[in-house]
Amino acid sequence: MKKMITCSVAAFISMIMITSSGIAQGNLKDALTGLAQPVAEKYTKPVVTGFGSNLNTGWFHRSPKAKKFGLDIEFGMVFTGTIFPKEDQHFSHEGQFQLSNEVAESISKKYLEGQAWYGSLDESQKTNALNSVVTQIQNSGAFDVSIAGGTFIGKRSDKLIVTFGEKTFTITDPNNNQQNITLTGMKDTLAIGGITGQPVVPLAAPQATIGTIMGTQITIRYLPPVKMYGSVGKLNYFGWGIQHNPGVWFNDPLPVDLAFAFYQQNISRGKLFEAHALAYGVTVSKQIGFGFLNITPYAGYLRESSKMKFTYEYMIDETSSVPVKFSAK
C-alpha cells in the first residue's frame, strides 16, 4: 500500500535560510545539503514512499508445509517498483524564512540595479544604499517565501524556484530624497533538480528461502554495496523474514497451508539516510496438482510500516552549516 508523509509548514524556524551559492546538481547528498528541513521532507517524499512500499513487497508466494522436517530451498531475484502519478514529480511549499545576509544582498541588488536614481550614484554611494536596504531586511524579520520545483523523481533539469513575498522599505538617497523600495515578486533559482528523472522507484535484490523445520521457513534478502538510482550512491540492503505453519502441531491436517509471517528489512546510504521496514500478518496457500504439474494460489494479509531517517549538514553559505535530522514514516 502506498504510504503518505505528513510534514508541518510550521517547522520553519528563523535559523534556517535559503542560499543559491555553492549548490551542485546531480546527486542526493548535494541536493539535500542545499535544502532546509521542511523543503527536504517534501523533496524526498517519493523516495520514502517508494522504499517503504518496495521493502515490504514480494516476500512470499506460498506458505510452508506443515512438516516437522523437510528440505525446501528456493533462490531467485525479486523485482519491485512503486509507480507515482505525474503530480508527485513536483512539489510546492510556503512558509517564512529569515533571509541570510547573502540572499538579502542578492535580492536588494537585483531591485536597486533597476532604479534610475541608483544608477546615477558613484560606487561608494551605491554601497551605502545597498547596505541600508540589506540592514532593513535583516531587521524586518521573516519573509513570506514560496518554493516550487522537482522532487526526487523529478527531471534532473528541474530547478527550485524561490519567490519572496512583498516588503517595503524607505531610504534616503545622497540628494536627501526619500526613496520607497518595494521588494515584490523577487525570485531566486536553486540548481537542485530530480535524481531519477522517472516516475518510478524500483528495487531488485537476490532472495533465498530455506525450510522446513517444525513448519518454519526463513527468507533472506541481501544486496552488497551497489550503486542504484543513478546518483543516489551505493546502497546497503539486508532483510529477513520467517513464516511458521501452526498446522504442524495439529493431529488433523488443515485444508490449506496457513502461516504466521514476520519480515524486517534495512536499507541505507552511508550516514545520509537509513530506511527500516516491518511487515507481519498471515499468509495462506494451497497446492493444486502433483509434481511439476501444479499451481499454488496464495494470499496474505500483512500490517506494514516503514521509517526513513535523513541526517546531513544544511549549507547556509560557503562557511557555515546547520545540522539537519528528520524522519518520515
Side-chain angles (χ1 to χ4, degrees):
M1 179 181 293
K2 184 175 176 181
K3 300 174 179 62
M4 303 303 294
I5 302 169
T6 58
C7 53
S8 173
V9 176
F12 282 106
I13 55 177
S14 62
M15 68 183 296
I16 298 178
M17 297 160 281
I18 300 173
T19 178
S20 58
S21 61
I23 303 302
Q25 177 184 338
N27 64 70
L28 184 59
K29 183 177 181 180
D30 287 343
L32 288 179
T33 57
L35 298 176
Q37 178 179 333
V39 183
E41 289 177 345
K42 287 198 170 183
Y43 178 83
T44 58
K45 179 178 178 179
V47 70
V48 174
T49 303
F51 276 176
S53 298
N54 291 345
L55 291 176
N56 284 322
T57 299
W59 278 98
F60 67 91
H61 60 87
R62 59 182 174 81
S63 299
K65 297 292 184 180
K67 296 180 179 179
K68 291 187 176 181
F69 298 100
L71 183 60
D72 192 354
I73 301 176
E74 286 186 355
F75 293 96
M77 289 289 295
V78 175
F79 299 90
T80 65
T82 302
I83 301 175
F84 294 86
K86 188 175 182 180
E87 55 264 29
D88 283 341
Q89 293 181 272
H90 296 88
F91 78 95
S92 61
H93 200 91
E94 294 183 357
Q96 288 192 322
F97 280 97
Q98 176 69 46
L99 302 186
S100 67
N101 186 76
E102 289 81 4
V103 174
E105 183 175 326
S106 174
I107 64 175
S108 299
K109 186 176 295 185
K110 287 180 181 179
Y111 176 87
L112 292 173
E113 287 178 347
Q115 307 301 308
W117 64 268
Y118 181 78
S120 65
L121 304 180
D122 60 33
E123 289 304 315
S124 176
Q125 292 171 329
K126 286 182 178 179
T127 299
N128 291 335
L130 177 62
N131 289 339
S132 178
V133 177
V134 171
T135 298
Q136 290 191 61
I137 289 178
Q138 293 286 276
N139 293 335
S140 66
F143 261 68
D144 290 329
V145 175
S146 173
I147 303 174
T151 63
F152 174 88
I153 60 172
K155 296 180 180 178
R156 293 174 64 87
S157 58
D158 286 338
K159 301 290 189 296
L160 287 188
I161 306 300
V162 184
T163 304
F164 302 93
E166 179 177 313
K167 279 202 176 184
T168 300
F169 308 96
T170 300
I171 69 170
T172 302
D173 67 20
N175 298 318
N176 290 320
N177 295 319
Q178 296 294 309
Q179 299 290 347
N180 292 322
I181 297 175
T182 301
L183 302 179
T184 179
M186 301 300 294
K187 295 184 178 181
D188 204 357
T189 300
L190 306 184
I192 299 175
I195 301 298
T196 67
Q198 300 292 334
V200 59
V201 177
L203 180 66
Q207 178 171 300
T209 300
I210 304 172
T212 305
I213 299 178
M214 305 304 292
T216 302
Q217 66 181 20
I218 296 176
T219 302
I220 296 175
R221 288 182 186 176
Y222 172 70
L223 199 63
V226 61
K227 286 188 176 181
M228 296 179 66
Y229 311 107
S231 50
V232 170
K234 288 187 176 182
L235 300 181
N236 295 280
Y237 175 42
F238 177 76
W240 64 274
I242 186 170
Q243 288 177 285
H244 175 69
N245 188 335
V248 72
W249 306 108
F250 301 158
N251 293 326
D252 298 323
L254 298 175
V256 295
D257 289 317
L258 174 71
F260 299 110
F262 175 84
Y263 305 100
Q264 191 273 338
Q265 314 97 63
N266 300 284
I267 190 168
S268 63
R269 195 291 202 188
K271 295 182 179 180
L272 184 62
F273 68 77
E274 297 178 5
H276 306 279
L278 292 175
Y280 59 90
V282 178
T283 65
V284 63
S285 64
K286 176 67 175 179
Q287 182 175 316
I288 302 174
F290 302 93
F292 66 91
L293 295 175
N294 71 84
I295 60 173
T296 305
Y298 67 93
Y301 176 80
L302 298 180
R303 295 284 294 178
E304 303 176 10
S305 66
S306 62
K307 182 178 181 180
M308 198 165 183
K309 180 175 69 177
F310 293 86
T311 305
Y312 63 94
E313 292 286 327
Y314 168 53
M315 300 302 298
I316 296 176
D317 52 40
E318 293 181 353
T319 59
S320 59
S321 64
V322 173
V324 176
K325 186 175 183 179
F326 68 92
S327 298
K329 294 183 180 180

